[in-house]
């Protein structure tokens, strides 16, 4: 009898271990901020990293809190990255900090030639600390004892990029075909560019980086490397999303944080569709502009279908398996779940 009890205890304990391992996922949520940006990461150790905080006003901070607390079970935003100083990226931060504690804030600080300045509220909201981020910096997220590690690395910001190493591949064939465009003088060009990895899984978030800066990411050296998931830069506007980036990093999935009237432009849509590696495109919103009928994916891969005024703000959720070898993308509102294999890098 004692032996049976022992066996039961051991098998119960090992099933707890298996359950705990299965919980050690990397989760990413694209929160609907109506054509702004707000991407929430939760590491296997339960730490949270929010990249951008949507627009000013109550709507976007409240949506962030709803996903962070109800879906992700968070009590705090441990790290907040503000990619650049446009209201659709930093505007929700100050109010968010009154609803949920914010730990460390990473942004571009104040710098020479700064084209746009953040609000006084942004510069003074309560948080644990603030740090100016530089190319090559990684966020100090906790490591797990077993299993793949998460890294969140800034590979470029304020139009400066990481130096290539001797192992960084040259990209001459693709670069020969690329031409610069009219310069974007706004703060978009200064966006913080992040690459998030979890084992073999890699995710690219370029904020609103613009065309000529995107070239520097992959020409003459590929500073990004292959990725699985591409957050469509700048909400799908055609001043960004240079195809030389897409054809260098070859993502499997593209996720566009467009609004009902913003982003999702035909040229970007055509470039995404013309990137052979892309198996699926997800949209946070249906493009409802009168000219937008041809550039939407199937309804089930779009989280929100109505106009911004009547929008419920549904999110997209990505979960990378604890072994990092596969990932699942779901739109709970549509009962859609798809599984993808992580590319071997
Ligand atoms: Zn933006």
């Amino acid at each position: 009898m004692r032996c049976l009890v022992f066996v039961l205890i051991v098998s119960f304990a090992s099933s707890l271990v298996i359950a705990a391992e299965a919980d050690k996922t990397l989760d990413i949520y694209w929160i609907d901020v109506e054509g702004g940006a707000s991407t929430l990461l939760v590491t296997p150790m339960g730490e949270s990293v929010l990249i951008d905080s949507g627009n000013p006003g109550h709507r976007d901070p409240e949506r962030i809190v709803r996903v962070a607390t109800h879906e992700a079970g968070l009590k705090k935003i441990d790290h907040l990255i503000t990619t650049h100083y446009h209201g659709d990226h930093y505007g929700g931060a100050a109010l968010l900090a009154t609803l949920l504690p914010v730990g460390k804030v990473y942004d571009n600080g104040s710098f020479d030639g700064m084209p746009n300045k953040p609000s006084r509220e942004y510069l003074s909201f309560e948080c644990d600390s603030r740090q100016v981020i530089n190319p090559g910096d990684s966020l100090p997220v906790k490591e797990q004892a077993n299993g793949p590690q998460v890294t969140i690395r800034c590979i470029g910001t304020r139009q400066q990029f990481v130096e290539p190493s001797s192992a960084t591949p040259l990209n001459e064939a693709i670069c020969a075909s690329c031409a610069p465009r009219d310069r974007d003088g706004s703060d978009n060009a200064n966006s913080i560019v992040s690459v998030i990895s979890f084992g073999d899984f890699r995710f690219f978030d370029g904020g609103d980086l613009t065309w000529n800066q995107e070239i520097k990411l992959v020409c003459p050296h590929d500073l990004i490397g292959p990725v699985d998931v591409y957050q469509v830069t700048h909400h799908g506007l055609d001043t960004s999303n240079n195809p030389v980036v897409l054809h260098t990093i070859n993502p499997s999935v593209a996720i566009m944080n467009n609004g009902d009237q913003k982003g999702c432009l035909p040229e970007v849509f055509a470039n995404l569709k013309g990137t052979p590696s892309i198996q699926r495109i997800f949209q946070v919103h249906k493009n409802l502009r009168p000219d937008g009928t041809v550039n939407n994916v199937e309804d089930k891969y779009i989280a929100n279908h109505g106009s911004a005024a009547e929008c419920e703000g549904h999110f997209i959720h990505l979960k990378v398996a604890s072994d990092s070898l596969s990932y699942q993308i779901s739109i709970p509102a549509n009962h859609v779940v798809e599984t993808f294999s992580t590319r071997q890098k």
Side-chain angles (χ1 to χ4, degrees), residues 128-150:
D128 292 348
S129 59
R130 292 171 188 253
Q131 181 186 319
V132 175
I133 201 163
N134 291 305
D137 287 350
S138 291
L139 267 56
V141 291
K142 293 187 192 109
E143 295 192 353
Q144 55 175 346
N146 300 303
Q149 303 301 331
V150 169

Side-chain angles (χ1 to χ4, degrees), residues 234-306:
H234 204 178
H235 323 288
L237 286 165
D238 56 13
T239 45
S240 302
N241 298 291
N242 194 319
V244 292
V245 172
L246 286 167
H247 296 159
T248 300
I249 66 177
N250 295 311
S252 303
V253 172
I255 300 185
M256 191 186 303
N257 54 8
N258 62 307
D260 67 339
Q261 305 289 323
K262 179 177 173 185
C264 202
L265 288 189
E267 182 186 342
V268 175
F269 209 76
N271 283 334
L272 293 171
K273 291 230 157 191
T275 302
S277 61
I278 294 181
Q279 299 165 34
R280 183 69 67 213
I281 302 168
F282 293 87
Q283 291 172 225
V284 171
H285 255 280
K286 190 162 188 169
N287 168 17
L288 297 178
R289 282 191 310 270
D291 65 345
T293 47
V294 290
N295 51 314
N296 280 303
V297 294
E298 257 182 277
D299 269 0
K300 65 177 179 173
Y301 299 115
I302 303 176
N304 298 285
H305 302 91

